[in-house]
Every structure is written in structure tokens, then in C-alpha cells.
Amino acid sequence: MKNLIQTIQYTYATQGSLGKTWQLYRREFLKNGIFGLKALWLRQNGESKFQQWKSKTQKYITIIATPHTVFITKLLSQALDKVGLSYQIKIGRDFKYFDDSFHIVVCPQTFKKLPKSYIAFQMEQTVSDRWFGQKDMQKLQQALLVMDYSLHNISYLNQHFPLNRIYYTPIAPIDLAGTSSDEHEYDVLFYGDTNNQRRKIYLDALQKKFKVKIINNAFGEEIWDAIRKAKVVINIHYYESALLETTRLYECLSNHALVISEKSSDFEQHTDLSSLVDFVEIADVEHMLARVQYWKDQTEIYLEQKSRIKEYVQKDQNLFNFYFYRTLLSLELIDFDTLYQLTSQTWNPTSKFWCLGLPESIERQAEFQKEKSKISAIWNFPGIRHKTPWIGCGLSYKYMLRYAQEHQWRNISICEDDVLFPEDIQNKLDDIHQFLNNDSLNWDIFSGHVTDLNTDADIQLFDTNKLTTYVQLSKTTGMVFNIYHQHFYNYLLKWDENNHDLKTNAIDRYIENKSDLKVITTLPYLVEHKENVCTTLWNRKHTTHFSYHDMTHNSIKAIQDKISKT
């Protein structure tokens, strides 16, 4: 009865009325039936338990995993250590009792019983439906949110979950070996299930030429010790269409192993591994044999590659931590400064032109790929997440401009992934940068698309050349494409994410409210906005009157009317 009352009270508090609470459960029942209704109830109960847990002064997180995912618990624990969050780890397969702590459950589909409040870290491959039956999906649906290591998996999960509950969390290496050994007991190690015909073909061929160690059922320190004793480790897919087994690859790299692996159906998503792992084509047994022989023969090159691997895994910051910390930030378990300080060295941007987007939004990412072909260099920044999406957006800009300031960039260009570039974007940008680089020019922001111009804005014709008409404004609203001058960095870095007043503190409104704002734009605008692409910030499912196009048209008309009179 206590759980029932608490869950109803929590749902009522978040929905705001009994009517809205009733409609929430009614919609879920009509859409997903009794299974969906049960999952929603359990999730609401879990969220109420999470809020109670979060209010405690003495608390800890419980990580639950099976033996074959011990490496993932190492990743989670080293990240939690760095932010000072207490935790305990439980390894097993059939837990009868769970305490009232908040849980992270690795591979929840493998457990018969689950805690009441948890994050699911989904690790199975969606190329097979083995782990995605109705009961399996219910275990994911009742989780507060779902982390997943694969964008291919997330594309599948997008069909079953709202975006705000899916969190991309790619695997990364951590240093488990300390020092590397040049002494090896065997040429080749394979570990995993060998009850598979395609794997047997590889292993039979390898055993005819090399000293091969096969391990079927070992985990943690036992398998890590075996990895360190191998000249090379090989990775063979269970299914020919399998996704890349990044957990296994990073587990091997964490032990300074040289890995030879088949490529995969999602290989293009893992180009960062191409310099660390020796990839061969799928089902090319002879090529794998040749690569094993190569690394046996080329001692000097082998040692150079091992040194490169060691240097990579001993970096203090990695992608896993960034993505895991953005999950913790969205739950308000860490703050922005902690996230930034522990992740800003992760990046090695190839450009000062960044695109902001959420990797979990597969549709928007696909749309932006069309635009990237029009311009030579854009670097993608994965947006910060928050339970209130517009705050996550603001935090993303705060992160990017703080990075630009710390690296002493004169300016940074940022577009969002629903931008539409003209075909000649590069030529136009070159002209704009030449104009902005005039040291006598005093400006804060160049706006490539003013969406909603304040009626109080001052508008002045600035300059006209054969390519572009430049206009100066005292206001701007719109984040589709902007160039931020270093003079402006400090103002944006003062943006307070704890101020939840949407009307004044959404990041574009905060910028608009700067008293002495100096904005330059062009006519026509540099870029357009793809209004047909789904938004990741606002729920406009039931809004029929909203139109970016209309706002933009009115803003352009106001600028044109003003400068026509000058």
C-alpha cells in the first residue's frame, strides 16, 4: 500500500493534476496494452524511489552485472570514483533481494528479478531478436533510462522509446595492465563461445599454423591474465552480420593487447579503432592468418604498435566517461563544472566550426550528413543532456564556448544539426570571415539565421559588397548558425543552468537579453532551417500554430523594411 500511495503521489506531482495523471496511464494502455501500462507504473514507482534516494545525505549506487560483463563494472567504477559517488558492485546471475539504493543494471535482460529503481545498461546486439522479446523489452521499459553502447542499437530502440530515455554510452579502454610484457605463452588467443560454425572454421585454420589458446568460460582477472600472455587476440563474429564487439575489443586494448578483428556491419561508426585494431574483411580467413603471421614476423613494428596501444589506453580522459557523466548530469547527480573538468581533454577537434547535435537522434544525424558534403570541415559535438532539454542545450553552448575560451580561439562557429546550408556555403563563409576579421569591427555574434527578431531591436545597414549585404542588429534570437567572438565568451559562460525560467533563460533568450549586444547578419541569411526535422527540445506534437518559417519571414521583413528606409 505504501508503494501504491507513493507512486500515485509522485505521478500526480509530476503531471500536475489527477486528470493529466489519468490521461498518462490511459494513453499508455491504449498504445501498448497491459504490458506497457505495467512498465509505466513500475517506472513511475522507480522514479519516486530515485527521488527519495537522491534526497538522502548518505547514499550509494549499486552496480549489478553478470560475470561476463565485469569489464563494464570496471568502466563504471573508475568513472564514479573520479566524481566521488559511492557505490558497491554485485556480480551474479540470480539476485533474490535488492536494497533501496539506486542501481545500474548491466544487461538487465539476463536477470529474472530486478530492483525497483535502476538505469539499464543495454549491451545486447539488436541484429538478433534473442534478447528483445516482450518480457525483455519490459525490463528496459521500466528502467528510468536506457544506456546503450551502439548507435545501431539506438536506431532500433528509437522505435520503442522516447528520445529522452535513450542515452548513447560507447565503450572505451581503461588501463588494466599497468606494464606490458614482451613474453608470450601462445601466438593466438580466442575467448568466447565456440559452439558456432563460422568461428570453428577460423579456429581450425589458425590451429594448423599457430599455437592457439581457446577459452570458453572465463571472466575478469582470469581472462585478463590470459590476454596478457598472448601475442595477438583475435575477434571473430558469432553472426556474419554482427555489430562490432567493442566491449571485447576495448577489454583487450585495456590489457595492451594487439587485436586482429573482422570488420562489421557498423564498422563505419568505429573509425577511431582503425589505428589500434588490425581489421580484416568479414569471412576472410586467409587474410586473418596472414595478419597473425605478419605480427609474429615484424617484431619492431609489433612493439611500436603495442606502445601506441599502451599510450592510448593510459589517457586520463575517455569517451565513455564523457557520455556516462552526461547521463549522471541529466539525473542531477553531478554538476556542469565536474563534467567539464573531467572530460574537456577528451577532445581533439579538427575544426573551429562545430555542429551541435544529439547522437541519439538518428534522424537528425542522418539529415546533417547531407549538409556535411557541402563544406570541408565540421566537427561534431555531442550535446549535453538534462531532464529539462532546453537546459541541456544551454549547457552544451556553455561547454563549447568554455572550450573555445580555454584554447584561446578568436571565435568559434556553431551550427545545429537541423541547419540547411546553401550549395556555395564555403565561398560565403570565406567572405564572411574576411569581413569579420577586420580588427576595427566591434561585434559579439554573427548570426546566420535570425529566427525571431525582437521588435525593439535596432537595425542598421552596415555594408554592402558584390556578394553580401551586411546588417547590424542589437538583438538576435536563433541558434541554427552563429559565430561567437571571444569578447562574447564571458557573457555566455555566466549563463546559470539553475535558473529554470524558460521565457528569460532559454539560451537564445539569454543572449537576446544582453544589454549591449552587437550582432551582424546578412541578407539573404547565410543558412536556412529544416523545419521538417523533429525537434529534440520541445514537445510540439499537439501544437498546430507554431512555425519557425513564419517567425523567420517576419524577422527578414522587419530587417528589409528598416534598411530600405536608409
Side-chain angles (χ1 to χ4, degrees):
M1 180 61 72
K2 184 179 179 181
N3 271 340
L4 174 66
I5 294 172
Q6 287 177 343
T7 304
I8 292 174
Q9 287 176 334
Y10 174 78
T11 308
Y12 174 82
T14 54
Q15 294 300 309
S17 70
L18 285 174
K20 290 181 179 179
T21 300
W22 163 252
Q23 288 300 326
L24 174 71
Y25 286 105
R26 179 177 179 273
R27 285 195 302 270
E28 184 63 31
F29 177 75
L30 292 175
K31 184 178 180 181
N32 296 311
I34 193 66
F35 280 98
L37 188 62
K38 181 181 178 181
L40 174 60
W41 174 263
L42 291 172
R43 188 168 67 253
Q44 291 288 305
N45 178 255
E47 289 179 359
S48 70
K49 297 289 185 187
F50 171 69
Q51 294 302 327
Q52 293 173 37
W53 171 83
K54 197 163 69 166
S55 67
K56 295 179 180 180
T57 53
Q58 298 293 323
K59 56 181 176 288
Y60 58 87
I61 295 169
T62 300
I63 302 170
I64 294 177
T66 58
H68 76 283
T69 58
V70 168
F71 174 64
I72 300 302
T73 69
K74 287 286 188 180
L75 275 176
L76 292 166
S77 62
Q78 60 83 32
L80 291 171
D81 281 335
K82 291 179 179 179
V83 297
L85 289 174
S86 300
Y87 62 90
Q88 63 176 350
I89 299 173
K90 293 185 177 181
I91 306 296
R93 295 186 182 276
D94 190 12
F95 295 96
K96 303 295 184 184
Y97 167 79
F98 302 98
D99 62 22
D100 61 357
S101 64
F102 183 55
H103 291 70
I104 300 174
V105 183
V106 184
C107 296
Q109 299 101 308
T110 62
F111 295 96
K112 292 181 181 179
K113 188 175 181 180
L114 291 167
K116 291 180 179 178
S117 182
Y118 65 93
I119 290 173
F121 198 163
Q122 201 297 116
M123 302 293 297
E124 306 297 344
Q125 295 194 15
T126 56
V127 294
S128 167
D129 60 6
R130 177 183 176 187
W131 295 106
F132 297 93
Q134 189 175 54
K135 290 184 178 179
D136 297 312
M137 291 299 289
Q138 188 173 350
K139 292 174 182 178
L140 299 178
Q141 288 165 349
Q142 68 193 49
L144 269 67
L145 54 87
V146 179
M147 301 192 302
D148 197 297
Y149 73 101
S150 164
L151 290 174
H152 187 282
N153 286 348
I154 285 174
S155 181
Y156 173 84
L157 294 176
N158 276 340
Q159 302 170 40
H160 303 274
F161 298 88
L163 182 69
N164 65 358
R165 293 188 50 230
I166 303 173
Y167 283 69
Y168 179 47
T169 316
I171 309 303
I174 53 173
D175 190 15
L176 296 175
T179 58
S180 301
S181 173
D182 296 332
E183 300 297 322
H184 304 105
E185 293 185 11
Y186 25 88
D187 300 324
V188 176
L189 169 68
F190 173 81
Y191 66 99
D193 187 358
T194 55
N195 188 27
N196 172 273
Q197 185 58 33
R198 72 185 311 277
R199 284 179 170 176
K200 286 179 180 178
I201 292 171
Y202 274 93
L203 294 172
D204 288 346
L206 286 161
Q207 287 175 312
K208 291 176 182 178
K209 292 191 65 175
F210 307 106
K211 186 177 181 181
V212 179
K213 176 80 170 179
I214 298 173
I215 301 178
N216 296 101
N217 195 30
F219 312 102
E221 292 290 349
E222 183 180 353
I223 196 65
W224 300 339
D225 183 61
I227 290 170
R228 295 165 197 154
K229 293 176 180 177
K231 184 82 172 180
V232 300
V233 182
I234 59 167
N235 181 52
I236 309 165
H237 303 318
Y238 195 89
Y239 308 102
E240 189 159 309
S241 61
L243 308 180
L244 194 63
E245 297 86 351
T246 53
T247 302
R248 176 174 299 175
L249 296 185
Y250 281 120
E251 182 175 40
C252 292
L253 291 171
S254 296
N255 287 283
H256 305 179
L258 196 154
V259 185
I260 305 173
S261 173
E262 290 184 281
K263 292 182 179 179
S264 62
S265 57
D266 64 338
F267 179 69
E268 73 284 348
Q269 295 177 10
H270 305 287
T271 53
D272 57 313
L273 282 169
S274 59
S275 64
L276 301 168
V277 175
D278 189 1
F279 286 103
V280 300
E281 295 300 325
I282 297 173
D284 192 339
V285 179
E286 291 303 317
H287 192 195
M288 183 169 283
L289 294 175
R291 297 309 296 171
V292 174
Q293 189 65 55
Y294 173 84
W295 292 114
K296 277 197 69 178
D297 294 342
Q298 301 294 328
T299 302
E300 186 175 339
I301 299 175
Y302 174 84
L303 292 175
E304 289 174 358
Q305 179 67 1
K306 292 273 283 188
S307 178
R308 189 177 299 116
I309 292 168
K310 180 179 178 180
E311 181 181 356
Y312 180 79
V313 302
Q314 290 183 337
K315 291 179 179 179
D316 186 52
Q317 299 185 4
N318 61 57
L319 274 179
F320 173 84
N321 285 6
F322 170 78
Y323 282 98
F324 181 52
Y325 289 154
R326 81 203 265 266
T327 304
L328 296 181
L329 178 64
S330 76
L331 296 169
E332 298 182 326
L333 295 179
I334 63 172
D335 60 21
F336 170 78
D337 284 337
T338 300
L339 170 74
Y340 185 86
Q341 289 164 10
L342 291 176
T343 63
S344 62
Q345 295 177 34
T346 304
W347 314 112
N348 185 26
T350 55
S351 170
K352 295 177 185 176
F353 184 178
W354 289 16
C355 175
L356 172 62
L358 298 180
E360 297 89 349
S361 182
I362 305 299
E363 176 191 346
R364 287 172 67 109
Q365 292 293 303
E367 277 293 326
F368 185 66
Q369 285 302 314
K370 302 174 185 176
E371 304 308 308
K372 287 187 76 171
S373 63
K374 300 176 184 177
I375 191 164
S376 57
I378 303 180
W379 190 75
N380 288 74
F381 178 75
I384 308 298
R385 303 287 297 271
H386 192 274
K387 64 179 183 180
T388 304
W390 65 265
I391 294 177
C393 178
L395 288 170
S396 300
Y397 280 95
K398 194 170 182 176
Y399 192 110
M400 291 185 288
L401 266 67
R402 182 166 170 178
Y403 188 95
Q405 184 183 68
E406 289 189 356
H407 289 78
Q408 299 180 347
W409 292 358
R410 183 184 175 108
N411 57 64
I412 181 172
S413 303
I414 302 174
C415 70
E416 296 189 348
D417 57 4
D418 54 358
V419 69
L420 176 62
F421 292 140
E423 292 298 327
D424 58 346
I425 176 66
Q426 189 65 65
N427 290 336
K428 288 183 175 178
L429 265 182
D430 290 343
D431 182 73
I432 289 165
H433 277 293
Q434 185 176 1
F435 180 81
L436 297 177
N437 283 338
N438 185 340
D439 290 335
S440 64
L441 191 64
N442 187 11
W443 63 283
D444 294 312
I445 297 175
F446 171 83
S447 176
H449 189 280
V450 181
T451 306
D452 184 21
L453 185 64
N454 191 304
T455 54
D456 294 332
D458 292 331
I459 304 169
Q460 296 180 17
L461 179 63
F462 199 102
D463 190 24
T464 301
N465 63 29
K466 61 182 179 181
L467 291 177
T468 309
T469 298
Y470 289 93
V471 179
Q472 182 168 312
L473 310 172
S474 63
K475 301 282 185 183
T476 185
T477 305
M479 310 298 285
V480 179
F481 176 97
N482 289 324
I483 303 173
Y484 302 90
H485 192 278
Q486 59 186 349
H487 296 155
F488 183 74
Y489 296 166
N490 278 334
Y491 177 77
L492 193 134
L493 295 182
K494 292 175 184 175
W495 179 80
D496 181 7
E497 60 269 23
N498 298 308
N499 177 353
H500 289 196
D501 185 347
L502 170 63
K503 292 182 179 179
T504 62
N505 205 46
I507 193 64
D508 53 351
R509 297 302 177 186
Y510 174 78
I511 291 172
E512 179 187 46
N513 289 335
K514 188 176 188 296
S515 59
D516 56 347
L517 188 64
K518 299 176 181 63
V519 181
I520 295 173
T521 190
T522 60
L523 285 181
Y525 286 168
L526 174 65
V527 303
E528 296 180 39
H529 170 253
K530 293 181 179 179
E531 193 163 6
N532 62 311
V533 178
C534 64
T535 175
T536 58
L537 293 184
W538 319 108
N539 181 9
R540 297 205 173 103
K541 187 179 295 185
H542 306 295
T543 303
T544 57
H545 64 276
F546 183 88
S547 172
Y548 275 119
H549 178 270
D550 291 346
M551 285 195 300
T552 302
H553 174 76
N554 292 337
S555 299
I556 293 172
K557 187 175 186 302
I559 296 172
Q560 290 175 329
D561 288 349
K562 179 68 175 181
I563 65 174
S564 68
K565 299 174 182 177
T566 59

